[in-house]
Amino acid sequence: MEICTVGGYEEVGKNMTAIKVGDDVFLFDAGLYLPPVIELQADDNFQEYTEKNLREVGALPDDLTLDKLGWRDKVRAIFLSHAHLDHVAALPYLIHRYPNVPILATPFTMGVVDYLFEDAKVELKNKKILMQPNSSYKIKGRSGEYTVEFVHATHSTLQCAFIALHTKEGVVFYALDFKLDKHPVMGEPANYSRFKELSKKGVKVLIVDALYSGTDRRCPSERIARDLVEDALSTVRDKNSALFITTFSSHIARLKSIVEFGKLTKRKIFFIGRSLNKYVTCAQQIKMCPFSRDIQLIKYKNQVDGLLKKVEHNRGDYMIVCTGHQAEPGSILDRIVSDKTPFKFKAGDNIIFSSSVIPVPININARDMMDKKLRKKGVRIQADVHVSGHGSREDLRDLVDLLKPKIIIPAHGSLQQETTMVELAGELGYKFHETVFLSANGKLLKL
Amino acid sequence: MEICTVGGYEEVGKNMTAIKVGDDVFLFDAGLYLPPVIELQADDNFQEYTEKNLREVGALPDDLTLDKLGWRDKVRAIFLSHAHLDHVAALPYLIHRYPNVPILATPFTMGVVDYLFEDAKVELKNKKILMQPNSSYKIKGRSGEYTVEFVHATHSTLQCAFIALHTKEGVVFYALDFKLDKHPVMGEPANYSRFKELSKKGVKVLIVDALYSGTDRRCPSERIARDLVEDALSTVRDKNSALFITTFSSHIARLKSIVEFGKLTKRKIFFIGRSLNKYVTCAQQIKMCPFSRDIQLIKYKNQVDGLLKKVEHNRGDYMIVCTGHQAEPGSILDRIVSDKTPFKFKAGDNIIFSSSVIPVPININARDMMDKKLRKKGVRIQADVHVSGHGSREDLRDLVDLLKPKIIIPAHGSLQQETTMVELAGELGYKFHETVFLSANGKLLKL
Amino acid sequence: MEICTVGGYEEVGKNMTAIKVGDDVFLFDAGLYLPPVIELQADDNFQEYTEKNLREVGALPDDLTLDKLGWRDKVRAIFLSHAHLDHVAALPYLIHRYPNVPILATPFTMGVVDYLFEDAKVELKNKKILMQPNSSYKIKGRSGEYTVEFVHATHSTLQCAFIALHTKEGVVFYALDFKLDKHPVMGEPANYSRFKELSKKGVKVLIVDALYSGTDRRCPSERIARDLVEDALSTVRDKNSALFITTFSSHIARLKSIVEFGKLTKRKIFFIGRSLNKYVTCAQQIKMCPFSRDIQLIKYKNQVDGLLKKVEHNRGDYMIVCTGHQAEPGSILDRIVSDKTPFKFKAGDNIIFSSSVIPVPININARDMMDKKLRKKGVRIQADVHVSGHGSREDLRDLVDLLKPKIIIPAHGSLQQETTMVELAGELGYKFHETVFLSANGKLLKL
Amino acid sequence: MEICTVGGYEEVGKNMTAIKVGDDVFLFDAGLYLPPVIELQADDNFQEYTEKNLREVGALPDDLTLDKLGWRDKVRAIFLSHAHLDHVAALPYLIHRYPNVPILATPFTMGVVDYLFEDAKVELKNKKILMQPNSSYKIKGRSGEYTVEFVHATHSTLQCAFIALHTKEGVVFYALDFKLDKHPVMGEPANYSRFKELSKKGVKVLIVDALYSGTDRRCPSERIARDLVEDALSTVRDKNSALFITTFSSHIARLKSIVEFGKLTKRKIFFIGRSLNKYVTCAQQIKMCPFSRDIQLIKYKNQVDGLLKKVEHNRGDYMIVCTGHQAEPGSILDRIVSDKTPFKFKAGDNIIFSSSVIPVPININARDMMDKKLRKKGVRIQADVHVSGHGSREDLRDLVDLLKPKIIIPAHGSLQQETTMVELAGELGYKFHETVFLSANGKLLKL
C-alpha cells in the first residue's frame, strides 16, 4: 500500500489524501486552504476564483503530484468526510481532472457540495453516491474489490464520517475532524462498537486529526455548549435591548440549542446571511433541521437591511443569528458593528459569540478591534460560549486504544501540531519513523 | 463612612476589610495569604505557626493598622463570608486582639472555623452567631443600630454569603468570591430578587471580587463541571486499571458530582486526606453531604497506606478521591506519583484533575513535573475537568447592574487584576477616583 | 500645588499634564493617541483631521477638563518634552484655545512642530521660545516667578528633555520617554550631576514614564543597537541582492548607525518617504545630521517609483532606508511587499527591521502577514535589530534614587502598566495613595 | 553512508550521533541529559551516579542501539565538539564499552573531560588525541582512510569545533552549538573561508543545531554581552553596597568581560564555586585565561563561608562572581539568598544575572522565587545581561548558504523545535523526507 499525503499535512486546510493499493487509487477529501483565499479576495485586481489563481496562492491541495506519480488515471473514487470547506471546497476546481470518478458523501455533505458547485458555476457531472452514516459500499477496482464504510463520527456539523476503506492489505481508517462526544446534541455518539470490530479485523493505518493532540484533556461534549448557550441567553434580562448571536453557519446542532433557548426570550428569531441560508437549507433537505418552524431565513442583502431597520426600532422584539464571529471584514456582523447598516448598537445591547477566536494573528486582531468598538458602545459581550469540535489528547488516545492500528499518520495541522501526536503515539508504544510517521504535503509513504 | 481595606487588595489572600460608621467598626473576613505560609513551612527551622512568624512573612492581614487608626476597640462584630482559608484562617492568630467581639458566619463556615481553631490549638471564646443563608441579624452599636444580612451566594463551597450591612448611611455590600450561577449543583441560584430590593433601598458601596474582571464572559455554571465529570468518568473503560480523581476539598458540590458518576463505575469510593475529612465532616454536620453513604473517609496516614496497598492489588475495585491537584509537595497525590506509597501508577491507570492549574510559576512547575512523571508511566490524564468559582466580567457587570451601587471598590487580586474592574466600571459610567477606587492594603477611604 | 493628569495616564499616547501653583497653570506636552487616528483615516467617509473628529474618537487629550476647572485662562506656558507625535502632534488642533501662551521646546522639537502645523495647514502664532538642552528660562506668573529647566535626556530622537519646573513649593520633574543611556550614539549621557543638585534643592513630585516598569533590567544602550546594525549589515554578502532597512523616522542616531555601516556595503544610500524627509530635514536645520552627505532623500511619490525601478534592475547598487517597520497599511514598505511598486522582492534579497513589533494585535497581525509574504519570496529577514528608547525597572529605580522626589506619579501607559511602577516605588519606600499615586485621565490631584 | 541519531534529537541534551561508512563507525559527542540527572540527585535514596541509574532515568544517550545494529565493535573514534556537559559528560559512564577507541577533542575540551572522569572516579585509559582548532587528523579504518577536521566555531565556551569528517562519500559536517559571531570577545570569528572550501569539495550531510531555528534574526554577538556587562557594572554607584554577579561557569569570554569591567569598580574580585574553579583552571592550563591575575578562586566550602563573612562586613570591597543563575537549589547563590551563609543581602545591594532564565517551568519557578526574595530585601536586580550562544534562523540560513550540503538533519532540540529548521530548509529549496529529515533518538537513516 502507498499513501500520498497530498495536502493538509502542513497546515489546517486543503485536506487531501490518496491511497494506492495495486492499481487502484482512492482520494479522501478535497478541501481549500482558506487564508490565501481571503488574501486573494482582498487583492485589488481580484475578479473570480479560478483553478489557476487558487493554485498560485497555494489554496488548493497540490494534486498535480498525482500526475507525477502516475496515479491520476487510477483514481477509482473520491470520498468526502464531511461538509466543511477545508474538506470539500476544492472540488469544483479539481473535478475536471477526474472525469467519471464517482464521489461518495453523506446526503448533507453532498447537499453542501452541490451548493459549492452552483456558487462556482461549475457543473458536477460525476456520479454521486449518497452514503448514509454507518453504511458501506463496494467498489470494483483493477486490483480487486474494496469496501468503503462511512462510520458515524461526532464533530461540529451534520453527518460527519470516519471513512474506513477495506483493502486486501487491511483497513485504512481516515479520522479527520472528530471528537468522541458521549452526549452530542443531535444524533448518536460515535460508533464505538464498530471501532472494536474494525480493530479485530485489523486496521493497517490510521490517518488522524492531530490538531489538538497537545491539549491534555478530552474535548468537552457539545451538550456543554448547549448549557453555555442556555446560560448566556438566560441572562439577557433587559427586554428593550437588542440581542445578536453569532456562530458557525454549518453547526446545525449549535443552532438548534440557540433557537431552543432563544425561543424562551419570546423574541422573533431571524437567521441572516448567505452562508447560514446555505447550510440550513441543506439540513432541511435531509430533514435534520428541527428548528425550521421557529426561525426565518433572510438571505438577500436588501432584506437584511430592511430587517435591521426594524430591529433598530423594536430592539426587544428580535433575536438575530448571524455570521461574523471571527470579525471577518465584510461579514454581516462587521458591517453592523461598523455602523454600515440601519441598526446601530447601543449601551445595554447584547452580543453572544458562540465561538472562539481562532488563535492566529489575523483573527485575534480583527476580534480585538471589533470588541473595542462594541465595548465603547457599552454592548454586553458574552464570548467563548463554545466548545470545539476537534478532539484533544484523550479523545485521540481513546481512538488509538479502540482501533489499535498498526501505523499512525498524524494529519490536519502544521508539522509542529503533528509532533505532539507523534509524542502521544510514543506513549502508546508506537515508534517514530517505524509505526508513526510525520508526513509532508506531497510526500509518498510506502507501508 | 470610612473603609480601611486591610488586606487582600494587593494579592489573592489575607482578605480583611473594616467599615467604620460613627463609633462602630465592623470587620469582614480574616484570611491567610497562603504562598508565604507554604514557604514558612518549607523552612528548615520551622516548628509551628505563630502570630509572630505569620506576621513576619506577610501571611496575616495587617490589622495592626486598626490600632493606629484607633479602631480596634470599636470593633462590634466580625463577619465571615465563607469557609475558604483566605477568608477565615487568620482568625485563630488574631482573635485574641478582639475579645468579646461576636463572630457571625453560616453554620458550614463556622464548622470549618471550629476545625481551624482546633488545629491551631487555640480556644475560641468569642460569641458565635450562626447565620442561615438569607437571614439577617441586628447589632447594637454606639452610634446606632445596624442590620447585617447574609445573602445567599453561589461560589465553590457550601453556604457562601454576600454580606450586606445596613447602616444609616446606606448599605455596604461585600461581594467577594462569588459567581452568578443559574444552575448550581447544590442549592439555589443567587438571590436576584434581594439584589433588586437592596438596590431600591440604596447601596452606598460595593466591595467586589475583581479577580477575573478581565475575562470577557460569564463564569460557566457548576453544572458544566458536573457534565465534564460525567464525561471524564464515563471514559474509564478499562475495568482493571486504577482510578484516581483529585479536586478541592471544600468543594462539596463537585464532590457530589464525582460520587454520583463514580458510583456508575461500580467501584468502591474512598476519600483520603485530612483536608477532605475536615470539610466533608462539616458538611455532614449541617446535613448537606448527600453522598455520605456512598463513600468511606480515610484520614489517618497508616490507614491510607493500607488502603493504597489494596488498590495496588485490585486496581479495578476502587475509585480514590484525594487532594494534591496542584501537585503540592507532600500532598497525598505527590507522594503517590513519587512512588512513596504502596501504590504505583502504571500504564492505563487513570487520573482526573477536577481542577485547573493556578497560573503562578510554583504551581505550573509542580504540575509540569507531576504530569511528566505520570506520562512516563503511561497514565491517562484528564485535566481541567473544572470550572471556576469566581465570576468573570459579565457576572460582575450583572451584579453592578442589579445593585446599582454609588461606589465600587475592587478587591481580591493584585492591583493589576483590579484595574480591569476599574475599566469595566468605567464602561458602566463610574469615574475612577470618584465613584470607583483602587485601594491598597492598609489604605483608608472616606466616602 | 494641583496637578491635572489630562491625558496619557490610561494609554500610550495623547500625553498632557497640567500643573497649577497659585493662579498659574503650566502645560506639559500635547500629544495625539495614534490608534484612533489610524482608524479614523481608514474610515470610508474620512476627509481630513479636525479638532472635532479627533476629539470624538478620543485622539486628543481632553483639555476641556481645564475649562471645567477654570484653569484654561491661567495657562502661562506650554512645555514640549520631545518631538514624538504622542507628545506634540495634538498642538495644531488645540493651540487656538491658548492664544498668547508661549511654547517652549528644543530647536529640534520646534522644527518638527513647525512641520506639523504646516501639514495641518494651521498657522502657529504663539510665541516660540527655543530651549537649548540643559538651559533654563524664567516665567513670570500671577503668583510668582518660575524657572523652567530643560534637562538633557537620552531617548530615541534628538534633543529630548526632562522638564524641571521650579516653583515656590518645590521642583516638578517631568520625566516621560527616557532611558538612562551611558553610551548614546549621539550626544551625551543624561545629566546625572544635575539630578543630584535638583535632589538637594528638593523635588516635590516626579511624573515618570512607567511603560516598562515591569521589566527587571536596564534598558540596553543605543550603542547595542549600533552593534546590531553593524552585524546585520555585515552579513549582507550577496552583492547582487537588494537591501532594504526600515526604522523609526525620528531616530536620527539609529539612522546614523545605519548609514555608517551601510556605507561599508559600497551601495548608494537612499531614504524614501515623507516622514523620513521631515525628521532628517529638521535634524539638518540644527546641524545634527552627520550623515547628510552620504544619503539622498526622496520624498515625492513619483520619484520613489522611479528609484525603485532602478533598484529592481540594479539590486546590488542600492541600500534603501524606508518606513513601514510596523507593516502599516499604505506605508512604502507595505506597498513594496505587496508588489504595488516597480520593485519586486525575490529570493536572496535582504530586509532588516531595525525596530520591534509593538505588541498589540493590530501590529502583530500586520507584521505577521508581511513576514509571511517576505518568507514566501525567500527574502532574508533580520528582525529586532533594535533596542528600546524607554527605560526599564532599573533605569526607573536609578532616577528615583538620584532625584529622591517626595511624590511619584506614574504616567505613559495603561493603568496596568502603571501599577508596576507603584510596586517599584513600594520597594523604594513610597506608599500607595500617600506618596505614589495612580492617576486617571482628567483626574485632579492636590499635593 | 548510514547515520544513527542516537541522542539529542528529541531534547536538548544527551547528544550523540553515529556515522557509519562501510565497516567504520564514528561517534560524535557523548553528553548527559541534565533534567533527569537533577531529579535523580533530589531523590531521597540517591547515593551516586552509575551507568545503571543514569540509563534508567534516560540521562544517557541510548548507545545500546549501536549493539543492536552491530556497530559497537566498529567504532573507530569518538569526536567531542566542545566542553559542555550535554556533549561530553556521558563519557565516563559509557567509555568502558569502547575500549581502545581514541578520543579526539580540543585541549580545553579534553581538560574538562579529564575533570569529569576525576569527579566520576573513573580512569580514562583510551588514547587522547588533542586537536587544535582548525587542524585535521587522519584515521585509518577498515573501509578506507578518513580525515577528521576540527573547524573553529564560535559559541559560549572555549575551543568549540564544527567537526568535518571527510569520507569517500563526501563530507559529514557536524554543527551543533554554534553561532556565527562576527565579533567574538575571545578568539576569531568562525572560519568562513573554510566553509566555502568544504562546500566546493562537497558536503554530503549537515547535522545542525536547530534549537532557535524559529527565531527570525541573527544571534547577537558576544560583544553585545560585553557592552551589557559594562553598562550593568557601571551603574553600581553605591560604594558601600555588595556586588554579586552570576553567569555560566564555562563561559570564559563572558568572565573576561566581567573581570575587565569589574576591575573598574576597584573591588577585589573573587570567583566562588567548584564549577567555576574547574573551567577556569582548564582555561589556565591552555593559557586562555587572560584574567588569572585579577581574580582569586575559592573552591572549598569552608573558604567560601569565610569570604562571605568578610563581604558581609565590608560589602563595598568585593565583587563576587558565582554560580546559581538558574536559582538551582543548593547552588551558592541559592544558599546566599536563603540566608544560609554568613552574608545576608540587604537594601541597595546588587545582583547581576549575566544569563537568561531557561524557559522551562522548573527554572522559571526557581528564579521567580529567588527574585521575590531578592526584591523583598530591596536588592537591585539586573537580569538578562546576556546573549545566547546558539544561532538563530539567520545564522542557520547563512551556514546552509555557505556549505550547500546535499542533506540536512536538524538536531539539538525537541521535535517541535526541529520542525522550524525543516521549514527554513524548505525556504532554501530542501524537501522534507528527501533532503531534510526529522530524526528521532535511536533512528537509523540511510543516505
Side-chain angles (χ1 to χ4, degrees), chain A residues 288-299:
Chain A
M288 287 187 72
C289 183
F291 51 81
S292 282
R293 294 190 189 164
D294 301 313
I295 63 154
Q296 294 185 57
L297 272 171
I298 301 288
K299 54 180 164 171

Side-chain angles (χ1 to χ4, degrees), chain C residues 48 66 118 170 235 261 287 338 347 350-351 353 427 443:
Chain C
E48 59 168 358
L66 301 180
E118 201 181 305
T235 66
F261 296 110
K287 306 210 186 323
S338 306
N350 295 277
I351 173 99
F353 289 91
E427 278 181 44
K443 164 85 182 143

Side-chain angles (χ1 to χ4, degrees), chain A residues 407-425:
Chain A
I407 288 163
I408 296 174
I409 303 175
H412 211 269
S414 66
L415 290 178
Q416 296 214 3
Q417 287 163 330
E418 289 164 8
T419 53
T420 49
M421 183 68 210
V422 173
E423 287 163 4
L424 171 60

Side-chain angles (χ1 to χ4, degrees), chain C residues 218-267:
Chain C
R218 293 188 74 72
C219 179
S221 165
E222 177 62 20
R223 76 163 159 173
I224 298 289
R226 187 177 180 278
D227 289 350
L228 294 172
V229 166
E230 180 183 7
D231 281 0
L233 283 169
S234 74
T235 66
V236 177
R237 289 181 321 277
D238 182 350
K239 295 208 180 321
N240 300 314
S241 67
L243 171 56
F244 283 73
I245 183 163
T246 174
T247 191
F248 299 90
S249 300
S250 62
H251 202 326
I252 305 297
R254 183 67 53 79
L255 291 167
K256 175 176 180 289
S257 301
I258 287 170
V259 172
E260 203 171 319
F261 296 110
K263 283 162 68 178
L264 302 181
T265 65
K266 311 284 184 201
R267 292 164 182 250

Side-chain angles (χ1 to χ4, degrees), chain C residues 182-183 216-218 221 223-224 227 230-231 234-235 237 375 380-383 394 398 427, chain D residues 182-183 216 218 221 223-224 227 230-231 234-235 237 375 380-384 394 398 427:
Chain C
K182 294 234 146 184
H183 302 90
D216 238 356
R217 63 180 303 183
R218 293 188 74 72
S221 165
R223 76 163 159 173
I224 298 289
D227 289 350
E230 180 183 7
D231 281 0
S234 74
T235 66
R237 289 181 321 277
R375 225 173 265 149
R380 291 179 79 232
I381 305 171
Q382 297 191 66
E394 289 311 308
D398 279 4
E427 278 181 44
Chain D
K182 295 234 149 184
H183 302 90
D216 236 356
R218 292 187 74 71
S221 166
R223 76 164 159 172
I224 299 288
D227 288 350
E230 180 183 5
D231 280 359
S234 73
T235 66
R237 290 180 322 276
R375 224 173 264 152
R380 292 179 79 231
I381 304 171
Q382 296 191 65
D384 286 312
E394 290 311 309
D398 279 4
E427 280 180 43

